[in-house]
Structure formats: structure tokens, C-alpha cells
């Protein structure tokens, strides 16, 4: 079975420190903007308050709506299922930005559209994405979802997981493990 | 006393692209729809230069909007029929070419048909492109194309009134036509911005 990269984020361990955001800026030499973000939502009535923290980025969806809308084919799926952008072919028309239900794409400083690529150059060297490597609570796990022996598969098989905006039916490849049992 | 419900949200990191298509694109959609409408309506032969000017200006606005202009030729060097914008790029190019040829060879009456068909494409396409984006529910898949089509035809008819030497001298007609053009432009901007942010 071909390798299919995915990410699992344990919401029980994520404290919202934004180290992933800083690691992303550092890796991509893009100080001032990051390809990921941390969102915090506080809801409820005192004393029953609930804080939800999500480290968000491109979900590398299997049915990514940003790929078919691209008029030049710049937005595409790589062999390992990553959603990538051919910088040379990207006109910066922002059709993919409009199509993404997760607001995970944005115009980059070079004019082409930018987004998380799971630090593909690092992954090709057999390393982890920068955000995963720098997470101080080790809340993030990156790996091949098709590897039955992998940690990522084990977590998905043993813990309850959710994806962002399941109603969008994009089959995201970032999974959030429930914070509560 | 009912406890107050708290709803707070904070965000750090990636800047959300709140307005990816701004007023420049609203203006471009207005001009392209206007040009498309002129190409369909009965006096297309007399207004083809107006249609060309509106479409050329729309194309210029669109080109200036592109983040990476050097890649613009990829619109035509790729085959992406599943992408509405790919069709839009070809509609622009073919419509401009057809209008130029028709202007140079006015005797070629058969050009009236392809010009009208390309005009219909220009009128219908933007609404379909926006309506097809499921991530933006404010752009309804049916009402957006319908409203864009009506607005495009309405704006073209309004311009015809303003270009008519008899009608434009009648204040009621000229005022109404000007209002239709302004309302069309404002509605385009409102629809476009409502789907973002």
C-alpha cells in the first residue's frame, strides 16, 4: 500500500503554546507569518467553562476542494497524498484560497499561494515536520496512515479522534484526539 | 441571576486571508458581465467596441490582481476543464479575439452567433464559479448565477440606454440607467464580499 502521510494531534497534551507556529516560521524562513495557527475557543457559563485548543494547518484532504478549482494545475496531490503547490505554475488567482473550507491557504510573499506542506523537504530526508519536532508536549505525531505498525495508526485505532469541519466531506488527514474520554 | 455565557476566541499564527477577492475583482466581474451582456443584446453589432473596451479593462484588472503575473500563460498552457476559472480565462481570450475580428470584418455577419455565445458564457460564468465553492455558503449555487446573469443583462441594457442619442436626453431614462449601473456594481461588490471573512 502506498505511503499516505497524516498527522495526529493529541488535544489532551496540546497546551496552545504556539511553539508549532514559531517552528513553522523558522523552518520556512517566513518571519511574520506562519503556515499554521493555534485557535482557542472558550465557551460555557462559569463555573462550567470549556477551553478548546486546536493547532490548525492545511489538512491535506483526500478530496481537497482546492485541487480541482486550480485553473493551471498548480495545486495538486503528490505521490504520498500531500496537497502541494507548483510555485512556477501558480498565478496567485486565489481560487484555491476561496475553495479551502479551513482557511489554510494565503497569498505568500512571492505572490504565489502558500500553505503547509508538512515540511516536505524534511520528510524526504526522513525527518519530522518542524512543528512536530518542536512540540514541547509531544502532542503531535506524524507518520504514514497506511503503516499498521506505526504510532499514528495505533493512536487512531485506540483513541477517539475527530477532524475539523467533517460536514465539508473533504476527508482531512489531520486528526485531533479527543481531550476528554 | 442567569450566569453569563462566555464565548471568546483567540488565534495566533497563520493570518487568515480575510478578503481574497476585493473590490478590484468586483469591478472586474461588473465589467465582464457588462461586456457579456452587450454581446448578447440585439444591438451587439453597434456596441462591439464598448464590449471590447469593457472586457479588455476587465482582463487588465484581473491580470493586475494576480499574485504571480509571470505565471499567467499557464491559464492557456494547462488543460483543467474541471476548474471554472480555466473556462473563464478561455472565455476572456476568445471573446476578445472574436470582437477584434468582428470589428475588422464587419461583413462577417455569422460572427454574431459565436459572439453571442461567448457573451452568454461571460454572463453566466462568474456566478457559476462563485456558486461552485462549497466552502463559501453565502455564494448560493443557484441564486448567485441567477442574480449575476440578471445583473449583467440589466447593466448592458442600461448602457444601451445611455448610448442611445434619443433616450439619453430623457432624464427619467438616463437617471434610471445610471442607477441600474451603480446598483449592479454595488450589488456585485456586496455579493462578493459577503462570501468572505
Amino acid at each position: 500500500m502506498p505511503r499516505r502521510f497524516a498527522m495526529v494531534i493529541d488535544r489532551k497534551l496540546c497546551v496552545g503554546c504556539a511553539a508549532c507556529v514559531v517552528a513553522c516560521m523558522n523552518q520556512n524562513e517566513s518571519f511574520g507569518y506562519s503556515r499554521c495557527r493555534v485557535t482557542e475557543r472558550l465557551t460555557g457559563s462559569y463555573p462550567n467553562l470549556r477551553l478548546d485548543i486546536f493547532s490548525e494547518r492545511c489538512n491535506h484532504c483526500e478530496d481537497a476542494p482546492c485541487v480541482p478549482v486550480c485553473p493551471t494545475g498548480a495545486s495538486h496531490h503528490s505521490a504520498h497524498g500531500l496537497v502541494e503547490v507548483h510555485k512556477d505554475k501558480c498565478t496567485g488567482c486565489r481560487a484555491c484560497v476561496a475553495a479551502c473550507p479551513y482557511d489554510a491557504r494565503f497569498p505568500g510573499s512571492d505572490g504565489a499561494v502558500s500553505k503547509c506542506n508538512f515540511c516536505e523537504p524534511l520528510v524526504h530526508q526522513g525527518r519530522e515536520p518542524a512543528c512536530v519536532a518542536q512540540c514541547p508536549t509531544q502532542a503531535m505525531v506524524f507518520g504514514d496512515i497506511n503503516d499498521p505498525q506505526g504510532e499514528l495508526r495505533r493512536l487512531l485505532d485506540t483513541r477517539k479522534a475527530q477532524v475539523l469541519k467533517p460536514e465539508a466531506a473533504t476527508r482531512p488527514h489531520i486528526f485531533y484526539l479527543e481531550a476528554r474520554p | 441571576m442567569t450566569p453569563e455565557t462566555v464565548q471568546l476566541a483567540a488565534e495566533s499564527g497563520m493570518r487568515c486571508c480575510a478578503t481574497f477577492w476585493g473590490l478590484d475583482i468586483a469591478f472586474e466581474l461588473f465589467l465582464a458581465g457588462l461586456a457579456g451582456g452587450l454581446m448578447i443584446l440585439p444591438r451587439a453589432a453597434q456596441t462591439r467596441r464598448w464590449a471590447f473596451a469593457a472586457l479588455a479593462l476587465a482582463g487588465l484588472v484581473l491580470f493586475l490582481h494576480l499574485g504571480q503575473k509571470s505565471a499567467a500563460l499557464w491559464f492557456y498552457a494547462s488543460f483543467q476543464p474541471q476548474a471554472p476559472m480555466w473556462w473563464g480565462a478561455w472565455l476572456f481570450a476568445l471573446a476578445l479575439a472574436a470582437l477584434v475580428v468582428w470589428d475588422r470584418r464587419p461583413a462577417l455577419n455569422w460572427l454574431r452567433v459565436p459572439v453571442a455565445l461567448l457573451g452568454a458564457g461571460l454572463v453566466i460564468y462568474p456566478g457559476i464559479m462563485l456558486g461552485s465553492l462549497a466552502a463559501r455558503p453565502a455564494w448560493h449555487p443557484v441564486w448567485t448565477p441567477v442574480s449575476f446573469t440578471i445583473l449583467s443583462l440589466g447593466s448592458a441594457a442600461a448602457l444601451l440606454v445611455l448610448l442611445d442619442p434619443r433616450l439619453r436626453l430623457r432624464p427619467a431614462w438616463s437617471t434610471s440607467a445610471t442607477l441600474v449601473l451603480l446598483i449592479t456594481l454595488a450589488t456585485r461588490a456586496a455579493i462578493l464580499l459577503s462570501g468572505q471573512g
Side-chain angles (χ1 to χ4, degrees), chain B residues 70-195:
Chain B
S70 58
L73 280 179
W74 280 107
F75 280 122
Y76 306 102
S78 308
F79 183 66
Q80 302 291 330
Q82 82 291 344
M85 203 179 274
W86 181 81
W87 287 98
W90 277 102
L91 276 173
F92 261 74
L94 292 175
L96 282 170
L99 286 167
V100 168
V101 173
W102 200 18
D103 191 54
R104 294 287 169 89
R105 302 271 188 278
L108 298 177
N109 281 326
W110 60 269
L111 273 171
R112 177 77 187 84
V113 176
V115 163
L117 289 174
L118 289 165
L122 285 169
V123 163
I124 296 165
Y125 142 79
I128 290 178
M129 183 192 68
L130 296 182
S132 68
L133 296 166
R136 311 289 157 190
W139 295 332
H140 193 274
V142 175
W143 293 118
T144 308
V146 168
S147 61
F148 269 46
T149 302
I150 293 169
L151 288 168
S152 295
L153 294 173
S155 62
L159 188 62
L160 285 185
V161 168
L162 291 177
L163 292 175
D164 188 296
R166 286 169 296 125
L167 290 178
R168 73 166 165 235
L169 292 176
R170 297 183 184 177
W173 281 85
S174 59
T175 307
S176 303
T178 308
L179 272 176
V180 167
L181 284 170
L182 290 174
I183 289 169
T184 303
L185 184 56
T187 311
R188 291 269 202 225
I191 292 175
L192 195 68
L193 296 178
S194 69

Side-chain angles (χ1 to χ4, degrees), chain A residues 36 38 40 42 44 87 90 98, chain B residues 6 8 10 12 14 21 68 136:
Chain A
C36 62
V38 173
E40 299 176 24
L42 181 67
K87 289 285 180 188
C90 178
Chain B
V6 179
L8 293 173
S12 56
M14 178 168 46
W21 290 331
Q68 192 163 244
R136 311 289 157 190

Side-chain angles (χ1 to χ4, degrees), chain B residues 3-20:
Chain B
E4 193 179 345
T5 300
V6 179
Q7 273 201 319
L8 293 173
E11 199 171 291
S12 56
M14 178 168 46
R15 283 179 306 185
C16 200
C17 186
T19 307
F20 40 86

Side-chain angles (χ1 to χ4, degrees), chain A residues 60-134:
Chain A
H60 295 276
C61 308
E62 209 155 319
D63 294 331
C66 55
V67 171
V69 299
C70 179
T72 65
S75 193
H76 68 286
H77 276 111
S78 76
H80 298 310
L82 299 186
V83 176
E84 296 182 347
V85 179
H86 279 305
K87 289 285 180 188
D88 294 345
K89 290 178 81 174
C90 178
T91 61
C93 69
R94 306 181 190 179
C96 56
V97 177
C100 177
Y102 306 100
D103 290 328
R105 288 172 168 251
F106 54 92
S109 54
D110 58 357
V113 165
S114 184
K115 62 179 275 301
C116 164
N117 62 354
F118 275 165
C119 289
E120 199 210 5
L122 294 182
V123 172
H124 274 219
Q125 295 167 22
R127 295 162 65 189
E128 292 178 315
C131 55
V132 176
Q134 296 297 323

Side-chain angles (χ1 to χ4, degrees), chain B residues 22-47:
Chain B
L23 292 176
D24 56 340
I25 294 300
F27 187 51
E28 179 266 317
L29 293 177
F30 166 76
L31 289 171
L34 179 65
L38 288 174
M39 290 161 73
I40 297 173
L41 292 180
R43 295 187 64 199
Q46 288 82 43
T47 57

